[in-house]
Structures are given as structure tokens and as C-alpha cells.
Amino acid sequence: MTERGETPPDVMLTAVRCVHLNNVSIRQAAKEYNINYRTLARYCQKITPEQCHDSSRNIPYIPVGYIKNRQIFMQFEETELVEYILQASDIYFRLSPKEVRMLAYQVAVANSKEMLKSWEENKVAGADWLSAFIKRHPVLSIRSPQATSLSRAGSFNRTNVDKFFNNLDTVMQRHKLQVHEIWNMDKTGVTTIQKPDRVVARMGYKDHFIAGGPPGSSGCANPSGWMQEENFLQFFKHFHSVAKSTQDKQVLLLLDNHGSHLSIDGLNFAKANGIIMLSFLPHCSHRLHPLDQAVFGPFKRYYNTAADAWMLNNPSKTMTIYDVPSIVSTAYPLQ
């Protein structure tokens, strides 16, 4: 701590850089570095933002203590993050506040950023960071979406359907894609008859969870029982092994905007391996999704028939999740 008027030049310049280059208020920077508010204000008038970029001054661009103010990223990095969020919104992949915080954490990890301990423990950026981030970028706002049932009733209309097929046509023309290079992915669940609350995926996944399943099956598990970001990356790797896509031989993957698709590692893998993704409009996949319309419905009917046959053939046994793969293997070829 220094007395008034005794602030070292390097500390003063660092505080000025925080104001000019990191969008920190003068009052906040003065408090952080124990500098008189009016003194710092005068220096901010004397030193221009261009002078702050002077590489000959060997002063840290972002001070170590500044992490306490929760601005983890540099200004250009935040700009890129804003652009991604807006682009995602434009293509009907609107991110919830929690998903934006998860994305920020993934970006921080990917760029080896120094972050708060709570970020590392919870694997997500803090709510206070999101609040400050939105204040710094007023082009963003948090809005309340319509209820799902109302949205589904109103979203599936000629205008929105035309938007999706126009997007599809644009992507196909831009990348010169052929019909055989278009793929579709979706998720569905099958359960045991006696205990319908149980799902295939379980904590502590082992290979015997898919024993007897269809040839070429790949499996993963998550404690929640639902697909998560890390599972999405594993799906991409399995899909790539089948589609054999490359940068010179790209494929188009149609999918919904499920939260698990928000995976930096997954998106980077897709980009590096020639996988182009096009998302269905929100609340329209129940009508537009090819797998929902033509595959999963018949598959579940065949699955129920195969499950009934299994119970008749095993009257003294209780169906468990370990029996599901063999039942799927029976139903899968029939669709």
C-alpha cells in the first residue's frame, strides 16, 4: 500500500491500461490499486489507449489482481464470444444463461485462462461474471422464451419451415453437397417395461452395457442419464468413423439444438473433420426431424414387441438395463 501521491509509475500505468483496454471504470481501478480517484482520472486523460499498447513499456497487459473483478477474457476475446452468441441466436440455437456460462468456462479452459476457483470447482462461469459480461455488451439481453407447448403450436408454420429449407439449400449450394452426404442425428431412450424411469445410460459405464447390441454400436454413460457435452464429442468420433468425412469430402449433419451440442471440443472436432452442422428451428423438430418422423416411432413399436417377446421367453426373470441391448438388436433391423 502506498501513500497518496507516491504511486509507482508502473502501477499507475497498469491501472490506466485497465481503464482503457479492459473497460474497467476509473473508480473501480483506483480502488483496486489504491490510487486516488482524481489522480487516476487525470492520468487517463494524459495517456491515450494507443500509448497503452506501447510494447516498449514492460508492464503486464492485464494485472494478476484483476481476476478479482471477474473479467477473465481480453476485450477481443469477449467480442468473439459475443459474436458467437449472436450468431447462434440467428441460426435458432439460442443459448440460455447457464449455457453461456458453460461456454465461457470451456473457452477459458481451452485458452488456459487464469480463473476463479469457483469456476474450476463447478465447471461453469459464475452468475456474477455473466451479469457483468452482459452489462459490458448491451447488445445482449436475457429474455424469457415462450412456454414449450405454446411455442410448438406457433413455431411450426410456413414461414419458419421455409426458413429451415432455405438454410438447407444455402448450405448445400455453398459446400456442393450431394444427397448421400447428408446425415441426420437425434436422441431417443428405451426403458425396461417394469421400471420405465430407468434409462440405458448409467454411472460407471462398462462394455457389457452394450453386450448383444447391434453390430458397430458405441456406448457411453452419464450420471444424469442424458447426453452431455463430453458424450457429444464421443458421438462425433463414432460418426466420423462411419461417415469418413474430411475437409475435402465434407458431410452435412442435421440435428436439433439440444444443450449437449454446446461443446467446444465437439465443434472443433467437427470443423477439423469436415462435418457441417445445420440446426432445426426450436420447437419444430417434432414435425421437421426426419428421425422423429420416420425412424424412432416405428423403432419403439418394434422394441415394445421385442420386449414383450423377451418377457414371454423369460417368465421368471426381471428385465434389467443389461437386457436392453439384445432387445434393441432384435428390433433395430425391422424398422
Side-chain angles (χ1 to χ4, degrees), residues 180-205:
H180 67 276
E181 295 170 327
I182 302 176
W183 298 71
N184 181 209
M185 73 153 286
D186 195 10
K187 303 162 290 297
T188 191
V190 292
T191 66
T192 57
I193 302 300
Q194 290 84 352
K195 297 182 179 180
D197 60 320
R198 304 185 72 182
V199 295
V200 176
R202 286 292 182 189
M203 182 185 298
Y205 179 82

Side-chain angles (χ1 to χ4, degrees), residues 60-325:
Y61 177 70
I62 296 182
V64 175
Y66 184 57
I67 193 172
K68 295 189 296 185
N69 293 327
R70 300 178 178 84
Q71 187 169 341
I72 308 300
F73 306 103
M74 293 184 180
Q75 187 172 352
F76 79 92
E77 293 172 325
E78 286 207 348
T79 299
E80 291 179 351
L81 190 56
V82 169
E83 291 175 351
Y84 177 84
I85 294 171
L86 293 177
Q87 183 180 8
S89 177
D90 291 340
I91 61 174
Y92 314 110
F93 200 94
R94 298 177 180 91
L95 307 181
S96 68
K98 180 64 176 294
E99 290 170 335
V100 172
R101 291 164 56 196
M102 293 170 61
L103 176 63
Y105 169 76
Q106 293 181 22
V107 172
V109 171
N111 290 278
S112 302
K113 292 290 183 180
E114 182 183 4
M115 66 187 76
L116 298 172
K117 186 177 181 180
S118 60
W119 287 37
E120 298 176 346
E121 292 176 347
N122 300 322
K123 309 300 182 185
V124 64
D128 51 352
W129 172 87
L130 178 62
S131 177
F133 175 70
I134 290 178
K135 287 181 180 179
R136 290 193 295 272
H137 303 282
V139 68
L140 301 175
S141 65
I142 298 178
R143 303 169 59 184
S144 298
Q146 294 177 310
T148 300
S149 57
L150 178 60
S151 295
R152 284 199 169 189
S155 295
F156 187 75
N157 53 56
R158 179 179 294 275
T159 300
N160 283 341
V161 172
D162 285 345
K163 284 182 180 179
F164 169 75
F165 282 103
N166 286 338
N167 289 339
L168 177 62
D169 183 65
T170 299
V171 171
M172 292 187 64
Q173 293 294 332
R174 179 187 303 160
H175 298 281
K176 303 295 189 294
L177 295 168
Q178 303 297 318
V179 174
H180 67 276
E181 295 170 327
I182 302 176
W183 298 71
N184 181 209
M185 73 153 286
D186 195 10
K187 303 162 290 297
T188 191
V190 292
T191 66
T192 57
I193 302 300
Q194 290 84 352
K195 297 182 179 180
D197 60 320
R198 304 185 72 182
V199 295
V200 176
R202 286 292 182 189
M203 182 185 298
Y205 179 82
K206 297 183 181 300
D207 287 345
H208 58 257
F209 277 17
I210 57 172
S217 297
S218 176
C220 60
N222 188 276
S224 69
W226 301 99
M227 179 178 280
Q228 302 295 325
E229 292 83 4
E230 59 270 23
N231 306 131
F232 189 51
L233 175 60
Q234 184 171 344
F235 159 78
F236 260 138
K237 292 180 178 179
H238 178 67
F239 172 72
H240 178 251
S241 69
V242 176
K244 308 295 185 184
S245 60
T246 65
Q247 289 287 359
D248 297 327
K249 186 182 178 183
Q250 297 178 322
V251 298
L252 174 62
L253 181 62
L254 305 177
L255 71 172
D256 59 29
N257 53 4
H258 189 267
S260 63
H261 303 163
L262 183 66
S263 166
I264 290 181
D265 291 337
L267 296 176
N268 287 339
F269 182 87
K271 185 176 182 179
N273 290 279
I275 302 173
I276 305 164
M277 291 180 288
L278 178 63
S279 173
F280 295 103
L281 280 69
H283 314 301
C284 292
S285 60
H286 65 299
R287 295 289 185 86
L288 285 178
H289 215 308
L291 286 173
D292 276 346
Q293 291 296 311
V295 178
F296 287 157
F299 165 71
K300 287 189 175 181
R301 289 195 294 271
Y302 290 127
Y303 174 83
N304 289 334
T305 300
D308 290 341
W310 186 95
M311 289 187 291
L312 289 174
N313 294 327
N314 299 273
S316 61
K317 296 182 180 180
T318 299
M319 185 184 299
T320 71
I321 58 173
Y322 301 102
D323 301 306
V324 169

Side-chain angles (χ1 to χ4, degrees), residues 4-17:
R4 181 174 178 178
E6 298 180 356
T7 303
D10 59 339
V11 175
M12 183 65 74
L13 181 56
T14 299
V16 173
R17 281 182 169 176

